[in-house]
């Protein structure tokens, strides 16, 4: 097995080198960008925009160009055009067809599209309030077959809003709009922007539909803008029309908008759209009906979950006025249960008769198609960090309805091994790890008191989990047993909260090699190989704009705080337990006390469909106190590896400028971590993507470890830490299969803080060695 894995790694690295050669060839042939430009035509080599309007960016304006040049990588390399140009003249050959399909044909200058671009730019500027803007286009021939198009914009003065008036024909709608007018987006003195009309139209429509007006649409709202005041200002009029209906064939009339009430609610469980279409008259005859909490539950054959699962996820009930926000909340709650692969909520006028109050009556149909309740997956992973090969395999089983209440049960087993060669003596050895984890997630808060409204408002979850992990290395054996109770909920669609009021971990080290123990006994490392009990409480806050639909660029922010040992310390003090030594014990095991907090900030910027940038900043600090002299090993920070500073292997960097000489394998952990990562990503062809990255960071100790060498070089000091930052650069290739991304990154050490001060910068100073590189195989993006 090991030989096969070595062969696989060598093959992957060989493929990596071959791809680099292909890229070089594409670069050379791609320089001949006019190979397939016909006589009399010109390649659109460049498009420039000169714009003096300070509040309109060039990026905004580029979106309105009807013709742009070929896509570039790194801002200059037309890689996809180069692929196209690699194809031969005979387009019937399969290989030439493939190259043209994955490449990009040359963009030929088009006079008509140039004129349309001019029109679109002018229209956009007028919509932004530049009513006197003038756009001039110029075509410049840069070579015999290339042209550049330049758009010069003279915006003129921007118009501002003067007065905003209203004309609303329906008095009920008028009352709703006026009572909410303080939230209007159209304010006197603000620059005129037609997009504000669209947003104001959406805001008012949302307000009206949330007050019972099911038939109301934003088409009923329109604006009349008057710019003839001669002082660069606009009088805006907002008009809301009444409903136009046909009383008979010859006459239409305007009536006030009607409110709608819910008459009946139907849950259709096991709905099949294809069968319903084919057997319209008899389809629902095979369904059984259950009445629960005023709602009709129709199901085919058997209801595989309790009826309260639906009712607890529903905001729509008979007798209510229609509210669009309640429909959206119901959709989200039902989706989060994971029992349904398809959810459709639709409304139908119950009959043409109005109720006693003159309201229209609606029937609500919630159509639910069941998803598979059980699934299992097998995964195989591989790593190669500085020549250290590893392989791992895992099995995961998932049941989405284990107790017929939407509870998700998960069970997983993972085993991993790694062959390592470390140290000056190049000692080879194998490591082995085995772990199993079981968890149950309940779609409500499991607490001893009732919080009925919390489920619908915040979509809470309760998690109960237990895990076992066995680690065997040549120098020690470690066992970790963990149990956890946790809650999570959403305060809004972008913000998630995680609270774990109780987590208990038992760390047992049944074996330490005597020779290894003698080497680490006088150092800080001894604390990492002692039995320990950890009882902690933690909280996490996550803000994720990626969850917002339609977001092109997005931020991600996560903050965590964890405190441990205080409950156990209070318990031992209250009952006078724990002994009389230098530290306290519970059940014969020392318990840990510490405070730990960190933040993780990420930003993803998509330049276009090919190019994007990703950035991450991480900062964390952990402080042991009371019953702990150092942080537990499993709670310390480490650096290096596939998701960190990729030029170093996992736990191979730091702390500070310390260089390990006691142990022969990577095991560096510490109390403080700082890291910054930047990555430029670009799509190549087929599933293949490329990346260039920069990683900067390190870890440091916050307290003295008892190791004089490490204390001097590994302690965090404000006037020294920035001098101890490691810098890694590299390139990567990824295969994006949509469901997962297979990643291969090659990192190069640019700056190594463990070297002597004058020798820390490596790139450009000396020849690179194999030890200066690291290959990392991983699943998924690093951030």
């Amino acid at each position: 097995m090991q030989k096969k894995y070595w062969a696989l790694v060598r093959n992957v690295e060989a493929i990596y080198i071959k791809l680099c050669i292909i890229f070089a060839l594409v670069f050379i042939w791609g320089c001949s960008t006019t190979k397939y430009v016909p006589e009399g035509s010109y390649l659109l080599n460049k498009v420039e925009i000169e714009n003096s309007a300070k509040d309109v960016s060039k990026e905004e304006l580029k979106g309105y160009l009807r013709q742009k040049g070929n896509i570039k990588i790194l801002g200059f390399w037309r890689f996809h055009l180069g692929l196209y140009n690699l194809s031969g003249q005979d387009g019937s050959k399969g290989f030439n067809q493939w190259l043209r399909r994955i490449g990009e044909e040359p963009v030929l200058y088009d006079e008509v599209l140039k004129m349309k671009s001019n029109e679109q730019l002018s229209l956009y500027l007028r919509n932004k309030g530049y009513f006197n803007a003038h756009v001039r286009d110029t075509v410049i021939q840069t070579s015999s077959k290339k042209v550049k198009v330049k758009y010069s914009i003279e915006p003129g003065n921007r118009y501002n809003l003067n007065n905003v008036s209203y004309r609303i024909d329906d008095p009920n709608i008028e009352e709703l709009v006026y009572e909410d007018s303080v939230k209007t987006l159209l304010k006197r003195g603000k620059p005129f922007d037609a997009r504000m009309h669209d947003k104001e139209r959406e805001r008012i429509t949302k307000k009206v539909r949330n007050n019972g007006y099911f038939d109301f649409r934003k088409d009923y709202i329109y604006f009349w803008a008057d710019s003839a005041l001669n002082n660069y200002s606009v009088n805006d009029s907002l008009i809301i029309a009444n409903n136009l209906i046909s009383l008979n064939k010859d006459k239409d009339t305007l009536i006030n908008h009607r409110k709608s009430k819910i008459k009946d609610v139907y849950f259709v469980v096991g709905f099949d759209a294809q069968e319903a279409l084919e057997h319209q008259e008899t389809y629902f005859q095979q369904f059984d009906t259950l009445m629960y909490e005023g709602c009709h539950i129709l199901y085919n054959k058997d209801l595989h979950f309790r009826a309260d699962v639906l009712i607890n996820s529903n905001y729509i009930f008979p007798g209510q006025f229609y509210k669009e926000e309640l429909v959206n909340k119901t959709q989200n709650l039902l989706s989060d249960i994971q029992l349904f692969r398809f959810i459709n909520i639709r409304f139908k006028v119950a009959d043409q008769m109005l109720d006693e109050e003159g309201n229209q009556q609606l029937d609500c149909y919630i159509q639910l198609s069941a998803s598979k309740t059980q699934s299992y997956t097998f995964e195989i992973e591989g790593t190669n960090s500085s020549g250290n090969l590893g392989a791992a395999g895992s099995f995961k089983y998932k049941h989405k309805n284990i107790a017929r209440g939407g509870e998700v049960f998960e069970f997983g087993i993972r085993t991993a091994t790694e062959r390592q060669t470390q140290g000056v003596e190049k000692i080879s050895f194998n490591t082995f790890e085995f772990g199993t984890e079981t968890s149950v997630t309940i779609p409500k808060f499991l607490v001893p008191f009732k919080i009925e409204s919390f489920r619908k408002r915040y979509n809470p979850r309760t998690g109960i989990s237990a895990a076992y992990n066995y680690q065997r290395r040549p120098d020690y054996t470690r066992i970790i047993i963990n149990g956890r109770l946790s809650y999570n909920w959403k305060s809004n669609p972008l913000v998630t909260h995680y609270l774990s009021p109780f987590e208990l971990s038992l760390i047992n080290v049944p074996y330490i090699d005597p020779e290894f123990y003698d080497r680490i006994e006088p150092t800080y490392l001894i604390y990492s190989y002692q039995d320990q009990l950890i009882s902690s409480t933690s909280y996490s806050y996550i803000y994720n704009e990626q969850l917002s639909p339609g977001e092109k660029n997005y931020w991600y922010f996560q903050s965590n705080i964890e405190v441990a040992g205080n409950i156990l310390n209070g318990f031992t003090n209250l009952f006078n337990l724990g002994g009389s030594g230098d530290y306290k014990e519970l059940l014969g095991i020392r318990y840990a006390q510490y405070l730990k907090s960190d933040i993780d900030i990420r930003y993803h910027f998509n330049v276009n469909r090919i190019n994007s940038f990703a950035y991450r900043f991480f900062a964390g600090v952990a402080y042991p106190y009371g019953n702990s002299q150092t942080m537990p090993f499993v709670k310390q920070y480490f650096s290096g590896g596939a998701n960190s500073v990729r030029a170093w292997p996992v736990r191979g960097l730091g702390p500070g400028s310390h260089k390990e000489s006691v142990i022969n394998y990577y095991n560096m952990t510490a109390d403080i971590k700082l890291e910054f990562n930047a990555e430029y990503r670009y799509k190549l062809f087929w599933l293949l993507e490329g990346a260039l990255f920069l990683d900067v960071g390190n870890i440091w100790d916050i307290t003295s470890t008892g190791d004089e060498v490490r204390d001097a070089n590994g302690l965090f000091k404000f006037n020294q830490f920035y001098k101890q930052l490691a810098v890694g650069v590299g390139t990567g290739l990824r295969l994006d299969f949509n469901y997962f991304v297979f990643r291969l990154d090659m990192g190069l050490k640019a700056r190594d803080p463990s070297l002597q001060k004058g020798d820390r910068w490596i790139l450009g100073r000396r020849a690179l060695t194999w030890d200066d590189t690291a290959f990392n195989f991983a699943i998924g993006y690093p951030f």
Side-chain angles (χ1 to χ4, degrees):
M1 180 67 184
Q2 190 70 26
K3 291 181 178 179
K4 290 181 179 179
Y5 188 71
W6 267 105
L8 175 63
V9 171
R10 290 192 185 100
N11 288 337
V12 171
E13 292 178 354
I15 292 172
Y16 190 97
I17 294 171
K18 290 176 181 177
L19 285 171
C20 291
I21 295 172
I22 292 173
F23 295 159
L25 291 173
V26 172
F27 180 78
I28 294 169
W29 267 273
C31 293
S32 178
T33 53
T34 59
K35 178 180 178 181
Y36 285 107
V37 175
E39 287 298 326
S41 298
Y42 299 92
L43 180 76
L44 183 59
N45 191 48
K46 192 175 184 181
V47 178
E48 288 184 353
I49 297 177
E50 282 189 354
N51 172 40
S52 58
K54 295 181 180 179
D55 45 3
V56 179
S57 70
K58 288 184 179 180
E59 291 303 317
E60 290 180 72
L61 294 169
K62 286 179 180 178
Y64 293 87
L65 295 175
R66 288 296 169 261
Q67 191 176 37
K68 303 175 185 178
N70 289 95
I71 289 289
K72 298 177 182 178
I73 292 176
L74 297 172
F76 70 92
W77 184 17
R78 294 183 176 91
F79 173 81
H80 300 84
L81 177 59
L83 280 176
Y84 189 93
N85 287 341
L86 281 177
S87 65
Q89 297 289 341
D90 187 355
S92 62
K93 291 184 177 180
F95 183 68
N96 290 338
Q97 290 179 351
W98 180 74
L99 284 174
R100 294 185 182 188
R101 186 170 63 251
I102 65 175
E104 182 187 31
E105 64 180 312
V107 177
L108 303 180
Y109 166 71
D110 189 313
E111 178 76 14
V112 174
L113 293 178
K114 182 208 69 173
M115 295 172 63
K116 287 185 177 181
S117 295
N118 191 314
E119 293 173 3
Q120 290 296 312
L121 291 172
S122 299
L123 178 61
Y124 176 72
L125 288 165
R126 285 197 294 272
N127 287 336
K128 294 289 287 185
Y130 293 98
F131 296 136
N132 301 319
H134 177 67
V135 180
R136 186 178 75 253
D137 55 67
T138 307
V139 180
I140 304 169
Q141 186 170 342
T142 58
S143 71
S144 60
K145 284 193 174 185
K146 295 180 182 179
V147 296
K148 176 176 74 172
V149 178
K150 184 177 180 181
Y151 297 94
S152 301
I153 296 173
E154 298 173 5
N157 292 314
R158 189 173 189 182
Y159 283 64
N160 296 321
L161 283 176
N162 183 38
N163 292 322
V164 180
S165 60
Y166 295 84
R167 198 202 85 191
I168 305 173
D169 298 333
D170 186 334
N172 293 325
I173 301 292
E174 183 181 38
E175 184 180 351
L176 283 173
V177 173
Y178 279 136
E179 74 179 18
D180 200 45
S181 60
V182 68
K183 297 179 181 178
T184 182
L185 303 175
L186 305 175
K187 297 185 183 295
R188 183 187 178 100
K190 277 194 169 185
F192 178 86
D193 191 339
R195 288 185 304 178
M196 291 298 104
H197 285 173
D198 294 332
K199 291 182 179 179
E200 181 72 358
R201 186 182 287 116
E202 291 173 0
R203 187 189 70 82
I204 292 175
T205 302
K206 183 178 179 181
K207 172 73 174 179
V208 175
R209 287 177 64 84
N210 281 329
N211 278 271
Y213 293 91
F214 169 73
D215 291 322
F216 191 87
R217 302 182 304 275
K218 65 180 182 180
D219 298 340
Y220 290 113
I221 305 173
Y222 59 95
F223 293 86
W224 183 268
D226 181 9
S227 60
L229 301 178
N230 298 321
N231 60 352
Y232 302 114
S233 61
V234 176
N235 283 338
D236 224 349
S237 298
L238 184 151
I239 302 167
I240 301 181
N242 265 345
N243 192 7
L244 181 67
I245 65 169
S246 297
L247 295 178
N248 52 55
K249 293 182 179 179
D250 303 320
K251 187 177 180 181
D252 293 338
T253 188
L254 290 170
I255 66 170
N256 290 341
H257 298 277
R258 290 195 182 108
K259 298 183 77 170
S260 299
K261 264 190 175 181
I262 308 300
K263 182 183 178 184
D264 288 304
V265 177
Y266 298 90
F267 286 93
V268 186
V269 181
F271 179 78
D272 188 313
Q274 185 65 30
E275 284 194 27
L277 188 63
E278 293 176 357
H279 310 284
Q280 296 182 26
E281 297 181 359
T282 60
Y283 179 67
F284 288 104
Q285 294 179 5
Q286 58 186 315
F287 281 71
D288 292 322
T289 302
L290 170 68
M291 194 74 175
Y292 191 85
E293 297 287 335
C295 298
H296 303 269
I297 301 176
L298 283 66
Y299 59 94
N300 193 355
K301 296 180 181 178
D302 186 23
L303 193 64
H304 298 289
F305 47 82
R306 299 191 304 271
D308 65 338
V309 172
L310 298 178
I311 302 304
N312 290 339
S313 300
N314 179 41
Y315 277 92
I316 309 167
F317 290 94
Q320 294 177 338
F321 280 108
Y322 171 84
K323 284 190 176 183
E324 188 172 64
E325 63 181 1
L326 299 185
V327 177
N328 295 332
K329 287 181 178 180
T330 300
Q331 179 91 30
N332 292 334
L333 284 177
L334 290 171
S335 298
D336 287 336
I337 296 177
Q338 300 184 38
L339 291 176
F340 312 108
R341 61 180 175 84
F342 172 78
I343 301 167
N344 181 40
I345 302 176
R346 66 182 186 89
F347 294 86
K348 183 180 179 182
V349 177
D351 52 52
Q352 297 301 322
M353 298 295 293
L354 305 179
D355 65 10
E356 296 177 354
E357 299 172 350
N359 299 310
Q360 181 179 246
Q361 297 186 82
L362 299 175
D363 284 337
C364 175
Y365 294 87
I366 304 175
Q367 300 166 342
L368 306 168
S369 297
S371 66
K372 292 183 178 180
T373 57
Q374 300 184 66
S375 62
Y376 61 89
T377 59
F378 292 94
E379 292 182 358
I380 298 176
E381 304 172 28
T383 60
N384 175 23
S385 299
S386 297
N388 298 317
L389 297 179
S394 63
F395 167 79
K396 295 180 181 178
Y397 169 77
K398 185 176 184 178
H399 195 302
K400 300 178 183 178
N401 193 32
I402 193 70
R404 302 186 73 244
E407 302 88 353
V408 178
F409 171 80
E410 294 182 270
F411 173 76
I413 297 176
R414 185 178 187 275
T415 182
T417 183
E418 186 175 69
R419 181 178 179 85
Q420 293 200 0
T421 304
Q422 298 295 339
V424 178
E425 302 174 7
K426 297 296 180 183
I427 300 173
S428 296
F429 55 88
N430 290 328
T431 66
F432 175 76
E433 182 176 342
F434 171 81
T436 181
E437 182 174 6
T438 302
S439 67
V440 177
T441 303
I442 304 167
K444 61 181 179 180
F445 266 179
L446 206 62
V447 291
F449 47 87
K450 288 188 177 181
I451 43 176
E452 297 289 346
S453 62
F454 202 90
R455 155 70 181 143
K456 291 184 178 179
R457 187 173 181 183
Y458 296 113
N459 193 18
R461 295 282 189 274
T462 300
I464 303 172
S465 63
Y468 171 86
N469 184 262
Y470 171 85
Q471 304 168 5
R472 188 195 68 206
R473 300 179 75 102
D475 297 327
Y476 68 88
T477 299
R478 180 191 284 124
I479 298 172
I480 302 173
I481 302 173
N482 175 271
R484 178 173 180 163
L485 170 67
S486 62
Y487 303 103
N488 72 78
W489 66 97
K490 288 180 174 290
S491 56
N492 67 55
L494 304 182
V495 176
T496 306
H497 305 262
Y498 291 88
L499 173 66
S500 176
F502 180 74
E503 181 175 1
L504 186 66
S505 298
L506 173 62
I507 303 170
N508 174 239
V509 185
Y511 170 78
I512 299 181
D513 179 74
E515 182 181 347
F516 175 69
Y517 183 86
D518 291 339
R519 293 162 64 189
I520 66 171
E521 196 275 335
T523 73
Y524 81 101
L525 289 171
I526 190 62
Y527 299 110
S528 300
Y529 300 92
Q530 295 177 342
D531 293 349
Q532 207 156 36
L533 188 65
I534 304 173
S535 173
S536 64
T537 299
S538 61
Y539 168 76
S540 297
Y541 172 94
I542 299 177
Y543 173 81
N544 187 2
E545 289 183 344
Q546 193 176 11
L547 301 175
S548 180
E551 281 294 330
K552 180 181 177 183
N553 309 316
Y554 60 90
W555 286 91
Y556 173 92
F557 173 81
Q558 178 174 346
S559 63
N560 309 293
I561 186 168
E562 181 179 357
V563 59
N566 292 347
I567 295 176
L568 294 184
N569 192 60
F571 181 79
T572 55
N573 289 338
L574 180 64
F575 294 98
N576 196 26
L577 302 173
S580 57
D582 295 335
Y583 54 84
K584 299 175 183 177
E585 296 180 342
L586 188 63
L587 303 177
I589 303 174
R590 183 177 185 174
Y591 60 86
Q593 271 188 286
Y594 61 84
L595 177 66
K596 180 180 180 181
S597 182
D598 49 58
I599 60 170
D600 186 346
I601 305 173
R602 307 176 190 183
Y603 179 64
H604 289 249
F605 173 67
N606 291 291
V607 180
N608 51 45
R609 62 184 177 86
I610 297 294
N611 301 284
S612 64
F613 291 88
Y615 307 94
R616 175 177 62 181
F617 173 74
F618 181 92
V621 59
Y623 182 73
Y625 64 92
N627 207 43
S628 295
Q629 292 175 283
T630 63
M631 287 292 296
F633 176 79
V634 294
K635 296 293 182 178
Q636 288 183 314
Y637 296 108
F638 61 88
S639 192
N643 299 316
S644 183
V645 184
R646 282 162 277 185
W648 277 260
V650 177
R651 295 187 175 89
L653 175 61
S657 58
H658 173 73
K659 189 169 186 177
E660 183 55 47
S661 59
V662 175
I663 55 178
N664 291 307
Y665 56 88
Y666 300 121
N667 203 40
M668 296 297 100
T669 57
D671 310 315
I672 295 176
K673 179 177 179 178
L674 289 175
E675 194 166 292
F676 171 77
N677 312 90
E679 188 165 280
Y680 167 58
R681 300 168 182 169
Y682 49 92
K683 297 183 184 296
L684 295 170
F685 56 87
W686 187 50
L687 305 175
L688 195 63
E689 299 179 2
L692 299 174
F693 58 82
L694 167 70
D695 301 322
V696 181
N698 207 335
I699 57 174
W700 293 267
D701 293 318
I702 198 171
T703 59
S704 177
T705 62
D707 183 336
E708 293 183 2
V709 176
R710 173 160 167 156
D711 284 348
N713 299 320
L715 277 176
F716 180 87
K717 298 177 182 178
F718 281 101
N719 62 343
Q720 292 292 325
F721 80 93
Y722 60 91
K723 301 176 183 178
Q724 298 172 329
L725 291 171
V727 179
V729 296
T731 181
L733 290 174
R734 291 90 193 270
L735 286 174
D736 186 356
F737 294 96
N738 291 326
Y739 296 103
F740 70 94
V741 175
F742 177 80
R743 174 164 55 98
L744 167 62
D745 287 334
M746 182 186 72
L748 300 173
K749 294 179 181 177
R751 188 177 190 274
D752 187 348
S754 68
L755 301 177
Q756 296 298 319
K757 289 186 177 180
D759 300 326
R760 290 178 178 175
W761 282 105
I762 298 173
L763 286 182
R765 297 287 187 89
R766 63 168 173 80
L768 294 172
T769 66
W770 184 253
D771 290 336
D772 296 323
T773 65
F775 283 89
N776 293 282
F777 301 95
I779 303 296
Y781 291 108
F783 50 90

